[in-house]
């Protein structure tokens, strides 16, 4: 039986059909060409290498194609990697569909969109509600399928919507604990903080990112998000302070300058937004890694989590 990517371990043989999420031709230190690949199925993704590729193979194996691969899993610099021994494009007679290999959010997108609209309708402050309604309406069609990233956390179909809904659930609970927080601002900040990723990345309806847009590369979703709020505030006649605080929340949600935030949070809602974002990303990444490990075992080192190994407790045994 073919193993899913999430179940593969160092030393395992791997054979089956995979989605090529990324395929780049590169030159090694020995002067030989190789393909640097990211392969995926509906359980996750893994970096892969096809060494000493032949002339023309770079043009054959392009991103978002389906391929059949035989290879072996090894570990390189603390990360699992698939060494490709044989590879070919999927054929019509293989009867495999691209959609079956695309990881998706565990909740139907339409259900999540309904919940998002209910959260917006519950915003009491009129200027905030109008501004958020305006922006979500502008991107409603894309929210159905957009991922939250090209790689890393929530890089799945409908991942952006799933990320926002999970954060909204946490935000409601945190607001009950800390009456200091303005629920309307926090709700709006959660909904808007990553909305500009729709303009930062070019993704199709399968939730696969083709590339970053030119503006996305040059500005990034934080600056793009500030621009969106500025235009929406003008279109809806929102109070200037409302627009400024929402822009500040977007600007500061990465917290550190090296991660793209030139200002740290200066209002409580921005501080909480940062930690909700970080918490959801970490829990998603940890859950993804631990899903492929037996209870009582350690994972491989996880680069995304500062090269840590995780332990799956016996309490998780089912």
């Amino acid at each position: 039986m073919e193993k899913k990517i999430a179940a593969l371990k160092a030393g395992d043989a791997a054979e089956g059909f995979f989605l090529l999420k990324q395929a780049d031709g590169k030159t090694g230190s020995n002067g030989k060409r190789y393909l640097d690949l990211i392969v995926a199925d509906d359980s996750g993704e893994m970096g892969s290498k096809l060494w000493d590729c032949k002339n023309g193979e770079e043009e054959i194996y392009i991103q978002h194609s389906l391929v059949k691969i035989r290879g072996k899993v090894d570990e390189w610099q603390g990360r699992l990697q698939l060494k490709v021994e044989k590879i070919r494009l999927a054929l019509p007679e293989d009867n495999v569909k691209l959609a079956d290999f695309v990881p998706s959010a565990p909740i139907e997108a339409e259900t999540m969109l309904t919940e998002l609209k209910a959260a917006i309708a519950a915003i009491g402050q009129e200027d905030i509600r109008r501004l958020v309604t305006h922006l979500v309406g502008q991107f409603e069609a894309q929210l159905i399928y957009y991922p939250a990233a090209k790689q890393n956390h929530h890089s799945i179909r409908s991942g952006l919507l799933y990320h926002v809904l999970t954060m909204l659930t946490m935000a409601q609970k945190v607001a009950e604990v800390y009456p200091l927080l303005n629920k309307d601002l926090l709700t709006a900040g959660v909904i808007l903080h990553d909305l500009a990723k729709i303009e930062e990345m070019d993704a199709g309806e399968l939730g696969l990112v083709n590339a970053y847009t030119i503006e996305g590369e040059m500005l990034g979703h934080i600056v793009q998000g500030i621009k969106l709020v500025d235009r929406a505030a003008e279109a809806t006649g929102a109070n200037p302070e409302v627009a400024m605080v929402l822009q500040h929340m977007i600007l500061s949600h990465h917290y550190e300058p090296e991660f793209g935030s030139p200002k740290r949070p200066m209002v409580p809602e921005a501080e909480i937004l940062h930690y909700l974002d970080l918490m959801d990303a970490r829990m998603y990444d940890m859950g993804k890694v631990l899903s492929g490990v037996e209870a009582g075992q350690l994972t491989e080192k996880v680069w995304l989590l500062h090269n840590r190994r995780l332990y799956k407790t016996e309490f998780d045994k089912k």
Side-chain angles (χ1 to χ4, degrees):
M1 183 176 177
E2 295 176 3
K3 279 188 176 182
K4 294 285 189 180
I5 284 176
L8 290 172
K9 300 178 178 64
D12 284 351
E15 183 171 356
F17 291 96
F18 299 94
L19 162 70
L20 276 185
K21 287 194 75 175
Q22 191 169 315
D24 296 315
K26 297 183 178 180
T27 302
S29 57
N30 59 2
K32 294 184 178 180
R33 296 291 288 172
Y34 69 94
L35 285 180
D36 189 17
L37 312 171
I38 295 176
V39 299
D41 60 21
D42 60 356
S43 74
E45 61 186 49
M46 182 180 292
S48 307
K49 296 285 191 297
L50 175 62
W51 300 107
D52 300 332
C53 63
K54 302 179 182 68
N55 288 334
E57 284 191 299
E58 293 180 33
E59 287 73 37
I60 294 172
Y61 302 114
I62 59 174
Q63 69 175 1
H64 303 169
S65 57
L66 283 177
V67 292
K68 188 172 186 180
I69 287 177
R70 179 190 299 162
K72 186 175 181 181
V73 180
D74 56 22
E75 186 177 336
W76 172 252
Q77 295 182 342
R79 303 179 73 177
L80 292 181
Q81 179 177 273
L82 179 60
K83 182 181 179 182
V84 178
E85 296 166 356
K86 292 188 71 175
I87 183 172
R88 70 166 172 84
L89 291 173
L91 304 171
E93 53 265 35
D94 291 321
N95 293 316
V96 290
K97 298 178 181 178
L98 184 59
D100 294 336
F101 292 81
V102 177
S104 301
I107 304 171
E108 287 291 331
E110 289 76 9
T111 300
M112 292 192 289
L113 188 61
T114 298
E115 291 182 24
L116 178 66
K117 289 180 176 179
I120 296 171
I123 295 175
Q125 214 283 350
E126 187 177 351
D127 280 12
I128 297 176
R129 187 177 64 253
R130 280 205 316 265
L131 191 150
V132 175
T133 300
H134 176 85
L135 283 174
V136 169
Q138 184 178 333
F139 295 105
E140 183 174 323
Q142 295 98 316
L143 274 170
I144 290 291
Y145 59 85
Y146 244 76
K150 185 177 181 182
Q151 296 176 39
N152 306 333
H153 78 89
H154 297 86
S155 57
I156 55 177
R157 189 179 192 274
S158 311
L160 179 56
L161 197 50
Y162 183 53
H163 177 46
V164 167
L165 260 294
T166 306
M167 287 178 62
L168 280 176
T169 301
M170 292 191 290
Q172 291 167 3
K173 300 299 182 183
V174 172
E176 292 175 7
V177 177
Y178 300 107
L180 159 74
L181 296 170
N182 182 303
K183 292 181 182 179
D184 291 344
L185 270 181
L186 186 57
T187 297
V190 167
I191 294 169
L192 299 181
H193 81 286
D194 274 349
L195 190 64
K197 285 190 173 185
I198 294 173
E199 292 192 335
E200 182 183 38
M201 302 180 295
D202 173 28
E205 291 194 12
L206 285 172
L208 299 173
V209 177
N210 301 305
Y212 284 88
T213 64
I214 296 296
E215 187 176 270
E217 288 278 12
M218 297 188 73
L219 301 181
H221 71 277
I222 288 180
V223 173
Q224 288 173 293
I226 291 168
K227 290 173 61 181
L228 285 178
V229 171
D230 196 51
R231 292 195 293 265
E234 184 175 353
T236 61
N239 183 300
E241 186 179 34
V242 165
M244 179 183 68
V245 174
L246 288 175
Q247 287 173 319
H248 172 74
M249 292 176 72
I250 293 170
L251 185 71
S252 62
H253 82 269
H254 282 184
Y255 213 85
E256 303 289 352
E258 56 266 37
F259 299 132
S261 285
K263 289 285 186 181
R264 289 191 176 93
M266 297 174 68
V267 295
E269 295 78 13
E271 183 82 5
I272 293 296
L273 174 63
H274 163 70
Y275 287 110
L276 292 177
D277 187 34
L278 180 63
M279 189 185 306
D280 192 44
R282 289 281 169 82
M283 289 300 100
Y284 180 89
D285 289 334
M286 286 184 167
K288 184 177 176 181
V289 173
L290 288 169
S291 66
V293 177
E294 296 294 329
Q297 299 296 315
L298 289 164
T299 69
E300 304 291 340
K301 290 181 180 178
V302 185
W303 174 77
L304 278 173
L305 301 172
H306 306 289
N307 235 16
R308 283 182 281 169
R309 299 179 76 185
L310 303 181
Y311 174 72
K312 190 167 187 177
T313 68
E314 290 285 346
F315 303 117
D316 291 336
K317 204 168 190 175
K318 295 182 181 177

